[in-house]
Amino acid sequence: QRYSGFAFFQAECTGPITRVFTLDAHLNRGARARITTDASPWGIGGFFIISGSIKYYFFDAITAEDAAFLGITIGTPEAQQCCECLATLVAMKLWREQWQTSRIRLEVRADNVTTLSMVRRLRAKGIGLTAISQELALVVAGGTYEPDVCTHTLGIHNKLADILSRQFDPNNTTRLPSSLQDAVFQRPPRRDHSWWDVVDPPAQTLGK
C-alpha cells in the first residue's frame, strides 16, 4: 500500500508551505526549457535543453529493483509502457531544481501518449503506472511551478532520446552523438526503496 497524500504532508512538515510568485513568473517571461525522454525495455534516457542548448543528459538501465517495484520484466515488450513513464519521472526528479522554483517555460516531450497524459493529469492506471504517477504528483506538488506544455513527437523524430535509452540494450552498437559533447552527463540516483516517496512510510510515523 502507498500513501502519496501522507507523503506530501510528511515532506512539508518542517514549516509552513510557502510559494513565491514574481511578476516575471506571472507574465511567463522565463527561459524556454525542454525535457525529452524515451525508453527501451532495457533502459531509459533523456536530455534537458535550456534556451536552445542541451545542458544535461542521462541514461540508465532498468534495474532489478525497478522491475520488482513496478511489476515488470526487463527486456519484454510488456514493460515498455511503464519504462516510458519511468524515464520522464526520473528526468523530472533529476532536474527538478532547474524547474520547480524558477519560472522557466517548461515543455515535456515524449513519443509515448500515456507518458504525456500522466504528466498533464498526474495519474495513470496499470501495474507500476499508478506508483509512477503518484510519485510524479508529489514532485510537481513540491514545486512552485509545473510543466507548461506536453508535446508528442513521433518516434522517428525522437532519435537522441532513443539512443540514450538503448545504451543498455544487449544489441546496441550506437555511440553517443556529437551533439552531447558540450552537455553534462548526470547519473540518476539508485532507485531503491528510499528513492520512492510514495512507498509505505515508517511504522512509527503512523503511530504504530
Side-chain angles (χ1 to χ4, degrees):
Q1 188 176 5
R2 299 180 172 90
Y3 300 84
S4 57
F6 181 90
F8 172 74
F9 288 110
Q10 186 180 38
E12 300 284 351
C13 68
T14 57
I17 299 175
T18 303
R19 301 290 185 262
V20 177
F21 298 91
T22 64
L23 178 60
D24 282 346
H26 175 70
L27 297 176
N28 205 10
R29 290 174 175 167
R32 292 184 180 274
R34 185 174 78 221
I35 290 174
T36 304
T37 61
D38 202 0
S40 74
W42 297 272
I44 55 178
F47 57 94
F48 190 48
I49 291 179
I50 302 177
S51 300
S53 299
I54 302 175
K55 299 297 185 182
Y56 310 104
Y57 69 98
F58 84 93
F59 55 84
D60 201 5
I62 301 298
T63 67
E65 288 172 308
D66 293 330
F69 185 81
L70 299 173
I72 60 176
T73 301
I74 299 172
T76 63
E78 292 76 18
Q80 184 68 32
Q81 196 87 296
C82 209
C83 294
E84 296 275 4
C85 292
L86 178 64
T88 296
L89 171 62
V90 169
M92 293 189 69
K93 289 191 71 168
L94 182 62
W95 296 317
R96 57 183 164 189
E97 290 184 1
Q98 303 291 332
W99 62 267
Q100 272 190 332
T101 58
S102 299
R103 188 42 169 160
I104 60 176
R105 287 174 283 180
L106 179 62
E107 173 189 359
V108 175
R109 180 176 292 188
D111 59 12
N112 181 269
V113 175
T114 299
T115 300
L116 298 173
S117 176
M118 178 191 69
V119 174
R120 178 52 61 195
R121 302 174 64 188
L122 298 178
R123 63 177 181 270
K125 294 181 179 180
I127 297 175
L129 296 178
T130 298
I132 294 173
S133 65
Q134 288 177 342
E135 187 75 15
L136 182 60
L138 286 175
V139 173
V140 172
T144 303
Y145 307 105
E146 60 185 78
D148 294 280
V149 179
C150 293
T151 304
H152 179 260
T153 183
L154 296 177
I156 59 173
H157 296 152
N158 204 25
K159 291 183 179 179
L160 178 54
D162 179 69
I163 290 172
L164 292 170
S165 74
R166 294 185 181 278
Q167 291 303 300
F168 293 92
D169 185 330
N171 298 314
N172 178 61
T173 58
T174 305
R175 295 182 178 180
L176 296 180
S178 59
S179 58
L180 295 174
Q181 63 183 1
D182 295 324
V184 177
F185 173 74
Q186 294 186 321
R187 186 179 301 278
R190 176 185 171 188
R191 290 178 296 280
D192 57 9
H193 188 276
S194 65
W195 188 84
W196 293 91
D197 293 322
V198 294
V199 297
D200 296 349
Q204 60 268 26
T205 64
L206 295 179
K208 293 182 181 179

